[in-house]
Amino acid sequence: MKFNLKVIVQTFILPVFFLISNSCFNRIDSPRAFYFWRSSFALTSEESKMLSTLKVNKLYLHFFDIKYDENTKTEIPHAVIKFKDDTLPLVEIIPVVYIENSIFKNKTDSACRILASKTIELINKICSYKKITPKEIQFDCDWTESTKLAYFKFLTTAKEFLPQKIQLSVTLRLHQIKFPLMTGIPPVDRGTLMFYNMGNFNPAESDNSILNLNQANNYINSLKDYPLALDIALPLYSWAVVFRNGKPIDILHEFDGNSVSSLPELKALNKNVFTAKTGFYFNSVYIQQNDIIKIEEILSAQLQQAAEMLSGNIKKENRTIIFFDLNEKTFNRIGRHEMETVFNNFN
Amino acid sequence: MRWKPFLIILISLTLLPCSYTELKSCTDGYDNVIEDITLFDVQHPTFDIFKVFLPNMFDNGIFQYGRDNEDSLNTLEWSKYFKNKITTDSIQALLYSASLPDLNNLLLNSKAKSNKAAIEYFILLRDSTTQYKRDPDTYSWEYHPNLDSSQYLATISLCKKRFYDAGNNFLKQRYGYLTLRLLRFNCQYDECIDWYKSNLSSVHLEGTLKYRSLQYYAGALYHKEKYAEANYYFSRIFDEYPARAGQAAFDFRPNTMNDWNATIALAKNNHEKEVLYFLFGRSDPMQALKNTIAINPNSIYIPFLLKRLVNNVEDASREVYRTGPAINFSWYDENGTTYNSDSCYACIYGSSLMGKQDNTEVARQFVNETALEFSTRDKALWTAAAAYLNLLLNKNQDAYTMIQRTIALNNKTNNLDDEIKILQTIYTIKTTKIIDEKTEEVFSEIISSPAINKKHDNEYGSPINSVNAYCMQLISDTYVRQGDSLKAELCSRTNHLYYKNNTRVRLERMKDFLSKKDFTAWERYLSQSYSYNLNDILESIVTVKLYEHKFEDALKLLNKIESYNPQELYGDPFIIHIIDCHDCDFELPQKIKYTKKTFLEKMITLSNLIETDKNLKKKSEFCFEYANGLYNMSYAGNARLLSECLITNMANEDDYFIEELNLSADFRSDFWKLYNDCSEAEKWYAKALYYSSDNEFKAKCTWMIAKCQLQKFYTNTTNPITGSEVYEFDAYKTLKAAYSNTDYYKSVIKECEYFRDFALK
């Protein structure tokens, strides 16, 4: 029998190869995303490049905050987004609205309904202005037991005002995930676990209020059982906490290790804690003599540990991994490769 | 044209809320303002002019606050322009409220050239104001995506043209100013700076326009990061133009020390330096005081800076501000042992680094030293301030010396009579180690003094009596130390959670105290100033007894309360569902509307029926209904209103703190535990089940037992809740094992997702 190699390859080997390759490599990667939290939308070239090289799928775009206004005795939007860039990146845009928890204290059902209506209306106006067709809308509120009912009423109503095809998501803190029966499970389609801001402000060198994996370890086991689909948000930012007379009084958002070297007014108490030898201004904030400044940074090793800790403890399917937030100032500390590695941890 | 009739019509047509304001933060800055109250409320002749900065003068309108009203000044300038022929009301309507169509009509009917020119200006002003209102920075539920630059640019061109063409300097100045403002609002900072330098200096701006323009110019400089120059101009506006003093002070914001040093270098004389140090002193009053004293020991700014420094120490010392959040609350047991939240505080903020370098002590030493060295007309103010800081930081001996010096220096001019009285009172209280009858007599006298009872407005404008409250808090602390928790509670409710434990015993003690017939003067003062009266306490005792399930005792006491105001429960407290739905219960038609009293009566009746009825089926049903009452009066049920009394309110407040602090359930109050406890209901559901022979009914009882177990779990757990733990209550297992063939079981499966997940495992 004469073997026709071409026929054999076409008939047997190629299909088997494709079969194997499909079964082995048909992996669905977790969608990649960033939050964008500045109130004026404009991407630097570095930020645009980061979105494209990392093959980011989504951008969680902060649309506005809702805060209580003492003057009008009602809640009003703050920091409503302005668009300096005419075009948006070619990724899915998810509008995000931050709501102060105190707004929901003692709020009646009808007031929640009115607030939900106004909020969705403003989101719609912004979407329509930038021709955004969202598939998901996210609310960010650190609700507590005392505000749970009102916040959930707000969410239920907001959902009613949205077309069915739009998913509603909320941000979740670790304690809300650990105690779902106490804090309640929000009536939404999915949640984003904010895996940051988890520690207390403390000038001790070893503590980091942004990412505290010891603290997180107490909560991590609860993730698998949480009934909502979970996306994960991880921190990229750094800050400095200012302590005066024993109390944390301010956070300097653009303060990192590099800032210290240019400030002769500071004296190191240890690696990341400093005291002010004299009073001085830093970015319009006045630091008094004897104030303590503690720098809290996220480094790639910590981020990697966090990713490993999380990836083994959350359901695999359909989860988006989000970095907070897209800002080129963080790229020096955590570069593209480090971010890529973190994303890959979840695949 | 006859102005007056037309303007009357125009005003009547346009009496819209006057939302127009020219003031807008030029630098987009904000500042920390001490918002709280102060005990150091010394009056000083210079304070009035700086009152925008005083802690108890803070209000949210601060950005529009100045010592003069700019609108009135502007109106006067226009009045002069119209040679006083138009009323100020009419001018204000033209400037601030007339609509564009009305102004256009007015223009059509206007004949005099100067009037026509003025109306043309008003039209352009109104038009540009409308554009400003579309500024995206304006908070609103409307969305204004961006400034309409094209419209702005057209208006700016027109303004410039009118500026060049203006026939008189009055209008020329205004067009020049308007151009500047529009350039600023359109974020054309370079053009704004150029326009000011090249054109406005030549027209010799006068009156309000001089400083309004300077402020926009300085704002543009700030945006271009020319901080030193910008801050220098803000200080000039602060000093020379009272109408915008508040705004300018808030805009003053050096970015770095280099900027600050460069600003100081721009000062042309010592007076300008004083002003700059004063503004700097809002951030660092002690340093500002040192610098100011060095150049002018008689500076009018010194008393204010001193007050600011004292306020900062007050703020930092925590002692004065006990009405704040839970980080400083405490409670104590029957022996007077105090438990405070220092441990909680430490877990939030604490560390060994805290408190080692404390600015409050540095400030105290500085004020003491300066009070001794300083010899100006304000020396008495310094000694009073030193005395107060010494008291705040528990340096009582030093405080005594400074009080004596203040008394010696006091005279009619500085008039520190009230402050001396306050200092003496605080000193007396602070140095009292044990309060006995004699001390109480002294306290009843000093605490009633008018100086101690002066009221101040807090930041919300509500009058509060901070000195009295502080003194009573100190006395309360002493009572706590000597184990008299009742009087500690009577003196001050703040942060002493008197009713948290041993609730009923303590309520009974309070009842006995308030029922006394032979009060001493001090006791009478305490009973009258206490937040609650005898009826409040009695109703709380009723409520606690109710939750202790002592229904007959509770009813007897309730019947004795005079002026008891019964509240109807929202829903029927004896019905129950598979899944609780309080709102649904409230909407159901109810034959009987229960109150606390009728609820108690019904529970007593049911209890008697259970006792006496021999029919097991009925007995079982009575037990079930009784258990429903117990379930519904708990936190889980539909009759939470039964729990409402002063104790509940306190428990809610405590719970809020506990929640905020993320503390464990052990910190909960006795009443909270009673209110959340469903074990008695569970017991009676079990009895109902025991007496019943109907499987459907038994299934229902078992389900309710499961709900009680769930509530117990919520109340007690501090452990992670995982799926398996939640679903495996004993009653769940019993329900599945023994009653899965009942209709009720099927209904539970249908309605309750949790149980369904458990059952289908």
Side-chain angles (χ1 to χ4, degrees), chain B residues 621-639:
Chain B
E621 284 166 2
F622 291 141
C623 285
F624 190 80
E625 199 174 0
Y626 186 76
N628 285 349
L630 291 166
Y631 181 86
N632 276 323
M633 66 187 250
S634 79
Y635 176 77
N638 69 11

Side-chain angles (χ1 to χ4, degrees), chain B residues 595-608:
Chain B
T595 62
K596 199 175 269 185
K597 189 177 172 196
T598 53
F599 176 80
L600 281 166
E601 286 165 351
K602 173 94 183 245
M603 290 301 276
I604 293 165
T605 309
L606 282 170
S607 171
N608 291 336

Side-chain angles (χ1 to χ4, degrees), chain B residues 232-342:
Chain B
Y232 171 71
Y233 289 124
F234 287 138
S235 77
R236 295 277 306 276
I237 297 164
F238 170 80
D239 186 38
E240 296 167 25
Y241 185 53
R244 287 202 179 195
Q247 175 70 38
F250 277 82
D251 285 341
F252 177 88
R253 184 171 289 274
N255 197 46
T256 63
M257 283 313 277
N258 286 343
D259 300 326
W260 163 240
N261 292 332
T263 306
I264 278 286
L266 288 171
K268 293 187 184 71
N269 50 46
N270 274 354
H271 172 74
E272 288 190 359
K273 278 188 187 167
E274 271 181 62
V275 175
L276 285 167
Y277 286 135
F278 173 73
L279 292 171
F280 169 80
R282 294 174 60 247
S283 301
D284 193 341
M286 193 163 74
Q287 190 56 46
L289 276 165
K290 287 178 185 170
N291 292 337
T292 309
I293 291 169
I295 56 173
N296 178 10
N298 286 314
S299 167
I300 58 161
Y301 298 114
I302 286 175
F304 171 77
L305 288 169
L306 177 60
K307 187 167 162 60
R308 178 125 185 131
L309 178 63
V310 170
N311 292 153
N312 280 352
V313 178
E314 275 185 315
D315 195 33
S317 73
R318 290 197 292 141
E319 201 176 14
V320 178
Y321 302 98
R322 291 204 175 184
T323 51
I327 52 172
N328 196 25
F329 72 90
S330 59
W331 61 94
Y332 39 82
D333 65 17
E334 283 305 277
N335 304 320
T337 310
T338 309
Y339 301 92
N340 60 44
S341 56
D342 280 354

Side-chain angles (χ1 to χ4, degrees), chain A residues 174-235:
Chain A
L174 278 168
H175 70 96
Q176 289 157 344
I177 287 186
K178 182 176 174 182
F179 303 114
L181 296 181
M182 288 177 182
T183 57
I185 296 156
V188 291
D189 302 300
R190 54 193 307 116
T192 295
L193 169 64
M194 295 165 63
F195 205 65
Y196 46 83
N197 289 1
M198 55 181 68
N200 297 317
F201 291 128
N202 187 334
E205 179 190 3
S206 55
D207 282 3
N208 186 329
S209 67
I210 301 174
L211 191 61
N212 185 330
L213 295 181
N214 286 338
Q215 186 91 345
N217 209 27
N218 299 328
Y219 294 83
I220 204 83
N221 292 331
S222 316
L223 294 180
K224 266 187 182 162
D225 293 313
Y226 198 70
L228 282 179
L230 283 183
D231 300 317
I232 300 290
L234 290 161

